[in-house]
């Protein structure tokens, strides 16, 4: 599947496209199929996101898992600081990237 | 310490206002990201893996307690309660909000700090010897010259759009604590027949194409300091390549022309420039030097230290260096707790260090390129109290220059350019090696998460480079580098490893070293004596 990610313009936080808006949690990401570029352009123009891009992901038991390690790290936070990981992510801390 | 004059303060304040306005226009949609990006980068604001990242300049790595406290305040108020000290003697914050960037710059400006020229193809923050003004072996204090360079290069219109970034380091002794031969320009203060001058290296650098700088002038009289730098920059600005980002650094130009021809062109340019009178007047140099006058050292102090506490004794042996004034010492605070993150410090730790500097080191703090901090002027009689103050904040790691004092870039945990993580490798290595690190003595391990070499892996006695192998993190092992006065470039010894594999490989290299070394020989010396083959055999069988 393909999912859409970027950073929140004002806060810089990593965000994922949910079909209706943006979530901090990759688990909420939806398959954007071939619509990624169009959604990205519209959302960027509306200043709801910065530097959005489409990535490959696979469907895991807890939702989409980004294919590239860089986006897996983005989805949890620095792997060396469990305390900074997103609390809701079940893989925080024990996540094997 | 240098204090801003009205011009310094005015330009920094004006920059804050300008950037506030630019941020507001980005948030309101007046600027697109493409328009805004170069503007934010001019103010040290990057977009990294998790958020915006702010890189704050610490000119020649020197700070006072007031500035340190502000760094702690910023970490606490705008970031996640910590900062990362870098190999360029700067500090980076990893969780910055664009909305707050203007406020942060205003806070910085209130203590004479900024983030200008910490990014982009300009002359970057000048780096220097962390022991400047304190080292027993220095010919002169490099900081006034670094400050002169700072003033000259700040907003220098001719050098704001160079072919590529430009890094200058200045030292004042034969011992090179700032890796000057790995900078675009490296300057060493020297004395000749009673006159002060500089030995000038150009074209050093790491990154994709590591090169050791060439000495193009043995003695540049100090009075012509600026005009000669200007000549170097002009030759580079005119002939440095702009067609290929990988060939744009001055090191490529110097290599392609040859050091001799490059030097000849600089001399020719210099002759044109000399009559223009751009060298700083003696009075201005003296004015700047006045800011770096020695603090009011006491005389007649006892020179011995009570080492009856064994833990303290180990710290003194490892982290304390000779000072040029009897009764004083230089103390290095290692930011490398075993298992911790190299260069990271919490707000509370940063504040504690500010307190200790105010109390014990004439209010001076230095940042080292090895991501540690230094209190340069401590009375020997105060060392024990200082150590206790550090210990209570988990800052008394007695591992300076040992195996667990590892340089590591942020790597894939923070950096969007990374191929692999650096920090976990540093942590695993430190944990493995700490129990045995006193025996090999000085051992410099340096780790980068990609070829850009922010973690100086080419200059490591042992270097590790993270690469991407079919989407997996992979690590190459390099041996034999040095960023000191005996500079050399480490070389890759063979196929790469997994994270666990590279830790094992380092362990094997050190095992072989223990078999081969002669008495008192550092790893680097053994390597230089016996060559790479025995180590290759140990690692790959
Ligand atoms: C996370 C944001 C960072 C980015 C985007 C970044 C980017 C880069 C790039 C692209 C280069 C190669 C430049 C070239 O060869 O032309 C480089 C080199 C370097 N960076 Fe960084 N870097 C970052 C963080 C750091 C950090 C945290 C440090 C210190 C720990 C650092 C210190 C250096 C040094 C010492 C070099 C080598 C300079 C040379 O080539 O001589 N950088 N960086
Ligand atoms: S070496 Fe590479 S991974 Fe490490 S900080 Fe520099 S650019 Fe990032």
């Amino acid at each position: 599947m393909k999912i859409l990610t970027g950073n929140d313009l004002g806060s810089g936080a990593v965000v994922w496209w949910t079909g209706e808006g943006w979530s901090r949690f990759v688990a909420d990401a939806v398959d954007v199929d071939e619509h990624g570029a169009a959604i990205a352009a519209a959302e960027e123009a509306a200043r709801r996101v910065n530097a959005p891009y489409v990535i490959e992901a696979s469907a895991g038991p807890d939702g989409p898992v980004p294919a590239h390690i860089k986006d897996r790290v983005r989805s949890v936070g620095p792997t060396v600081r469990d305390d900074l990981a997103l609390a809701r992510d079940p893989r925080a801390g024990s996540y094997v990237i | 310490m240098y204090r801003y004059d009205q011009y310094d303060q005015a330009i920094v304040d004006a920059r804050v206002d300008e950037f506030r306005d630019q941020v507001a226009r980005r948030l309101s949609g007046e600027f697109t990201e493409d328009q805004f990006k170069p503007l934010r980068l001019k103010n040290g604001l990057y977009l990294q893996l998790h958020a915006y990242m702010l890189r704050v300049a610490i000119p020649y790595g020197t700070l006072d307690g007031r500035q340190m406290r502000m760094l702690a305040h910023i970490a606490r108020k705008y970031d996640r309660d910590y900062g990362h000290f870098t190999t360029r003697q700067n500090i980076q914050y990893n969780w910055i909000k664009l909305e707050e960037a203007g406020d942060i710059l205003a806070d910085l400006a209130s203590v004479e700090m900024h983030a200008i020229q910490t990014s982009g193809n300009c002359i970057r923050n000048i780096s220097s010897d962390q022991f400047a003004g304190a080292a027993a072996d220095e010919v002169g204090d490099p900081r006034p010259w670094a400050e002169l360079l700072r003033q000259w290069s700040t907003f220098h219109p001719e050098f704001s759009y160079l072919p590529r970034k430009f890094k200058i380091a200045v030292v004042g002794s034969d011992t090179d604590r700032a890796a000057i031969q790995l900078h675009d320009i490296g300057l060493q203060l020297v004395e000749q027949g009673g006159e002060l001058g500089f030995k000038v290296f150009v074209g050093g650098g790491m990154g994709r194409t590591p090169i050791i700088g060439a000495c193009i002038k043995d003695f540049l009289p100090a009075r012509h300091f600026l005009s000669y730098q200007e000549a170097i920059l002009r030759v580079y600005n005119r002939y440095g390549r702009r067609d290929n980002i990988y060939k744009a650094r001055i090191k490529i130009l110097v290599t392609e022309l040859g050091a001799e021809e490059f030097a000849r062109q600089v001399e020719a340019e210099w002759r044109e420039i000399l009559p223009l009178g751009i060298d700083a007047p003696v009075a201005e140099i003296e004015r700047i030097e006045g800011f770096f006058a020695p603090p009011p050292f006491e005389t007649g102090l006892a020179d011995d230290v009570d080492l009856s506490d064994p833990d303290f004794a180990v710290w003194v042996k490892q982290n304390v260096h000779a000072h040029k004034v009897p009764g004083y010492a230089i103390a290095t605070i290692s930011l490398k707790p075993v298992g911790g993150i190299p260069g990271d410090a919490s707000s509370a730790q940063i504040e504690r260090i500010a307190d200790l500097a105010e109390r014990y080191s004439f209010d001076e703090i230095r940042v080292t390129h090895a991501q540690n901090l230094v209190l340069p002027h401590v009375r020997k009689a105060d060392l024990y109290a200082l150590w206790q103050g550090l210990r209570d904040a988990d800052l008394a790691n007695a591992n300076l220059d040992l195996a667990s004092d590892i340089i590591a870039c942020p790597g894939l945990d923070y950096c969007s350019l990374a191929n692999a993580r650096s920090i976990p490798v540093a942590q695993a290595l430190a944990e493995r090696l700490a129990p045995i690190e006193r025996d090999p003595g000085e051992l410099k391990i340096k780790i980068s998460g990609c070829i850009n070499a922010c973690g100086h892996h080419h200059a490591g006695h042992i270097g590790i480079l993270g690469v991407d192998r079919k989407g997996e993190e992979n690590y190459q092992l390099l041996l034999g580098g040095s960023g000191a006065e005996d500079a050399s470039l480490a070389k890759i010894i063979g196929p790469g490893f997994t994270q666990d594999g590279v830790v094992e490989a380092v362990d094997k290299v050190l095992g072989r070293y223990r078999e081969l070394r002669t008495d008192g020989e550092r790893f680097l010396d053994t390597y230089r004596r016996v060559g790479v083959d025995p180590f290759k055999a140990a690692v790959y069988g």
Side-chain angles (χ1 to χ4, degrees), chain A residues 7-14 24 44 47 49-51 68-70 73-74 77-81 84 97, chain B residues 26-29 33 49-52 80 82 95-99 341 412-414 416 418 421 423 427 473:
Chain A
N7 293 76
D8 181 70
L9 175 61
S11 71
V14 172
R24 299 283 309 278
E44 191 163 33
R47 283 175 281 120
V49 72
N50 194 8
H68 198 283
I69 181 169
K70 186 174 291 181
V73 173
R74 289 176 72 246
T79 65
V80 289
R81 287 288 304 263
L84 300 180
I97 289 290
Chain B
R26 172 66 183 121
L27 290 171
S28 75
E33 184 63 8
L49 274 196
H50 308 293
Y52 295 96
R80 299 205 173 171
Y82 70 105
W95 305 91
I96 296 300
K97 297 184 171 69
L98 179 59
E99 301 144 335
I341 298 179
L412 191 53
D413 282 299
Y414 291 99
S416 55
R421 284 172 286 175
I423 299 166
Q427 291 173 322
E473 293 169 292

Side-chain angles (χ1 to χ4, degrees), chain A residues 39-64:
Chain A
I39 301 169
E43 288 296 307
E44 191 163 33
R47 283 175 281 120
R48 282 187 287 264
V49 72
N50 194 8
Y53 58 102
V54 177
I55 59 169
E56 288 292 335
S58 57
D62 303 307

Side-chain angles (χ1 to χ4, degrees), chain A residues 12-62:
Chain A
V14 172
V15 289
W16 310 87
W17 177 250
T18 67
E20 286 160 11
W22 296 90
S23 165
R24 299 283 309 278
F25 303 98
V26 67
D28 299 333
V30 294
D31 192 349
V32 292
D33 206 1
E34 82 274 24
H35 307 298
I39 301 169
E43 288 296 307
E44 191 163 33
R47 283 175 281 120
R48 282 187 287 264
V49 72
N50 194 8
Y53 58 102
V54 177
I55 59 169
E56 288 292 335
S58 57
D62 303 307

